[in-house]
């Protein structure tokens, strides 16, 4: 495969690109060959992260009315079972009916051999659908539509994704446990793989918080990942320059804040991560511990849930499904209240006496599910400190 040099982290680790980027690039190349008739050996792709990729195209094959080609996954320095696997896309035209109000090109995406299929509810895609997440689906559509517009094509396009050896590789992942069978998922929210070296990540978290402190900020936001970043920006209108992304290392981040002499941090995260804190689990990676259903089932029982409800919760594959059941039983408010209080207790134990830690827990479907009693005061303090910093900066420019 190509010797890619996409970029490096601050710790010097090489970046890679996701299966979603592979799928989008392969589909774009196949569409370009379908319409032009010419062979394409390299394709340009702009990722959601804003990093432009030039990816090598392999395994080109043509048949009557379709073109299939592949792009090989490159994970950089991230240990990943998908590294080196070929992600293929076959593109062909198909008839599509356009409504009078919608002239968009219709791009249908399906999964073939080596691409997993969803068999249980609660995931991004419906039961029976190929396990291709929404961001990769958008990337594929945008890439194919870009080519269609160049050639003036307004009909339908069918993209079939395959991953040779994907079914065997999936056995080493959590897909079977999640109810994704037959292969791998097409994933990625940014299009770029950032190495998950624990030391590199925790060093980066410490450094980001230190920079904030050294620039006069003794309070900041902390969020595990992209869901939290999106919620801060879109739902809370937060200045993301004051947010530190901590990945799964919530406990270590609290420790860093205390060591740096920060006065307070406000943790904002999806229930899928933060629920684990209620059991005192401070590293939320699934390989460390997964107590989400146990926590939700126990708190539902305390709120009056019957045995059947508790059993259903314990059988859920993610918090989205469990929260739906709890809401249907009209127990969402009391359950989230006690879960949030346990989260507060766990964070206070970790933080000690000189650091104030609050938490806001949300879900995509329900919005804010719970917040600790310190959350509003911390939010106000961060905004006040930010306003003061902006005022000082304005005075310096006068």
């Amino acid at each position: 495969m190509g010797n890619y040099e996409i970029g490096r982290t601050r710790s010097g680790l090489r970046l890679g690109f996701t299966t979603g980027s592979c799928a989008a690039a392969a589909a774009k190349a196949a569409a370009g060959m379908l319409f032009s008739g010419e062979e394409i050996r390299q394709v340009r792709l702009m990722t959601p992260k804003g990093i432009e990729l030039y990816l090598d195209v392999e395994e080109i094959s043509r048949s009557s009315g379709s073109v299939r080609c592949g792009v090989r996954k490159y994970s950089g320095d991230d240990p990943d079972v998908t590294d080196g696997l070929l992600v293929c896309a076959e593109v062909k035209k198909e008839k599509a009916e356009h409504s009078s109000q919608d002239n968009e090109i219709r791009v249908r995406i399906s999964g073939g051999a080596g691409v997993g299929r969803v068999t249980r509810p609660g995931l991004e895609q419906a039961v029976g659908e190929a396990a291709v997440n929404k961001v990769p689906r958008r990337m594929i559509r945008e890439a194919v539509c870009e080519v269609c517009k160049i050639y003036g094509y307004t009909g339908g396009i069918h993209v079939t994704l395959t991953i040779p050896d994907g079914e065997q590789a999936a056995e080493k992942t959590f897909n079977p446990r999640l109810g994704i069978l037959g292969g791998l998922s097409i994933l990625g929210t940014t299009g770029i793989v950032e190495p998950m070296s624990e030391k590199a990540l925790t060093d980066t978290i410490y450094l980001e918080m230190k920079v904030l402190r050294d620039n006069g900020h003794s309070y900041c936001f902390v969020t595990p990942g992209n869901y939290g970043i999106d919620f801060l920006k879109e739902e809370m209108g937060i200045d993301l320059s004051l947010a530190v992304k901590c990945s799964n290392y919530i406990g270590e981040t609290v420790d860093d804040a205390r060591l740096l002499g920060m006065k307070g941090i406000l943790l904002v995260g999806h229930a899928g991560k933060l629920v684990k804190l209620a059991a005192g689990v401070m590293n939320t990676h699934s390989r460390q511990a997964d107590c989400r259903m146990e926590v939700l089932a126990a708190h539902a029982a305390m709120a009056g849930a019957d045995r059947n409800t508790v059993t259903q919760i314990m059988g859920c594959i993610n918090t989205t499904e469990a929260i739906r059941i709890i809401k249907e039983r009209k127990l969402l408010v009391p359950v989230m209240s006690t879960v949030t209080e346990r989260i507060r207790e766990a964070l206070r134990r970790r933080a000690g006496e000189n650091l104030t830690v609050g938490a806001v827990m949300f879900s995509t479907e329900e919005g804010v599910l719970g917040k600790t009693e310190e959350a509003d005061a911390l939010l106000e303090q961060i905004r006040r400190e930010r306003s003061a910093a902006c005022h000082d900066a304005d005075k310096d420019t006068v």
Side-chain angles (χ1 to χ4, degrees):
M1 62 180 293
N3 183 24
Y4 294 104
E5 184 60 51
I6 300 159
R8 292 177 182 262
T9 67
R10 277 178 278 186
S11 299
L13 296 176
R14 294 172 297 173
L15 302 177
F17 46 83
T18 62
T19 49
S21 289
C22 294
K28 183 177 182 180
M33 285 185 267
L34 180 67
F35 288 109
S36 70
E38 299 178 358
E39 190 169 278
I40 297 172
R41 283 294 177 178
Q42 191 177 70
V43 65
R44 170 189 167 277
L45 181 75
M46 179 59 74
T47 63
K49 193 174 180 68
I51 295 177
E52 189 174 59
L53 301 176
Y54 287 85
L55 303 181
D56 296 333
V57 180
E58 304 180 34
E59 301 290 332
I60 298 169
S61 62
R62 303 170 188 266
S63 61
S64 178
S66 71
V67 176
R68 176 183 178 272
C69 60
V71 171
R72 200 167 294 279
K73 171 73 185 302
Y74 173 67
S75 299
D77 284 322
D78 188 58
D80 187 343
V81 299
T82 65
D83 187 42
L85 291 181
L86 200 64
V87 179
C88 301
E90 181 185 34
V91 174
K92 62 182 179 180
K93 301 176 185 178
E94 67 179 11
K95 185 176 180 180
E97 297 295 331
H98 293 274
S99 69
S100 59
Q101 296 179 341
D102 184 2
N103 293 318
E104 290 186 357
I105 298 163
R106 304 294 188 185
V107 180
R108 183 163 63 94
I109 300 167
S110 59
V115 175
R117 194 157 297 278
V118 177
T119 65
R120 298 181 66 182
L123 299 172
E124 271 197 9
Q125 304 304 320
V127 171
E129 291 292 320
V132 184
N133 280 8
K134 60 183 179 182
V135 173
R137 283 180 182 270
R138 187 182 74 228
M139 292 172 67
I140 293 165
R141 289 192 182 97
E142 290 175 352
V144 170
C145 287
E146 180 184 335
V147 175
C148 290
K149 289 174 182 177
I150 291 172
Y151 292 94
Y153 179 74
T154 59
I157 291 287
H158 183 198
V159 179
T160 303
L161 304 175
T162 55
I163 306 177
D165 301 319
E167 186 168 3
Q168 293 91 331
E171 295 174 1
K172 302 175 184 177
T173 72
F174 281 94
N175 273 14
R177 179 180 169 188
L178 295 174
I180 299 172
L181 303 181
L184 294 164
S185 302
I186 305 293
L187 302 170
T189 57
T190 67
I192 297 296
V193 174
E194 299 187 38
M196 292 294 287
S197 160
E198 183 168 324
K199 181 66 165 58
L201 275 171
T202 53
D203 284 351
T204 299
I205 294 163
Y206 180 89
L207 181 60
E208 288 185 6
M209 195 175 293
K210 182 177 182 297
V211 169
L212 286 177
R213 186 206 63 182
D214 291 350
N215 281 274
H217 297 283
S218 53
Y219 296 84
C220 71
F221 297 100
V222 171
T223 184
N226 291 325
Y227 285 130
I229 290 291
D230 291 344
F231 191 82
L232 279 170
K233 180 180 178 181
E234 297 168 10
E235 302 298 327
M236 298 178 68
I238 296 302
D239 178 1
L240 296 182
S241 67
L242 299 179
V244 174
K245 190 156 70 170
C246 68
S247 185
N248 294 296
Y249 306 103
I250 294 173
E252 287 87 344
T253 304
V254 173
D255 295 343
D256 288 345
R258 190 180 69 250
L259 291 170
L260 286 166
M262 299 288 283
K263 294 180 180 178
I265 59 174
L266 180 56
L267 175 65
V268 179
H270 191 275
K273 294 287 187 186
L274 265 55
V275 158
K276 296 182 182 183
L277 302 182
V281 174
M282 291 287 168
N283 183 325
T284 58
H285 197 289
S286 56
R287 69 169 171 256
Q288 297 293 329
D290 187 3
C291 55
R292 296 169 299 166
M293 301 315 143
E294 288 82 357
V295 168
L296 292 174
H299 284 263
M302 288 193 299
D306 59 24
R307 181 174 181 177
N308 181 57
T309 299
V310 171
T311 301
Q312 285 187 49
I313 294 169
M314 285 298 297
C316 292
I317 61 174
N318 56 34
T319 52
T320 299
E321 187 181 357
I323 288 169
R324 176 184 59 78
I325 292 170
I326 292 168
K327 184 179 179 181
E328 286 176 355
R329 305 301 191 275
K330 303 188 186 304
L331 297 173
L332 189 59
V333 171
V335 168
M336 289 303 138
S337 177
T338 55
V339 168
T340 302
E341 182 55 33
R342 286 299 179 93
I343 291 172
R344 177 175 183 261
E345 292 172 4
L347 290 171
R348 288 180 67 187
R349 285 195 301 270
R350 188 72 177 238
E353 296 180 358
N354 297 321
L355 175 68
T356 302
V357 182
V360 176
M361 181 172 60
F362 68 88
S363 74
T364 306
E365 296 75 19
E366 302 298 330
V368 174
L369 292 167
K371 57 184 178 180
T372 64
E373 62 182 60
E374 301 88 355
D376 287 336
L378 282 168
L379 177 59
E380 181 58 32
Q381 184 62 47
I382 297 170
R383 284 175 168 163
R384 189 182 302 122
E385 202 172 66
R386 172 62 176 167
S387 179
C390 291
H391 178 68
D392 291 343
D394 289 342
K395 286 197 300 183
D396 290 340
T397 60
V398 174

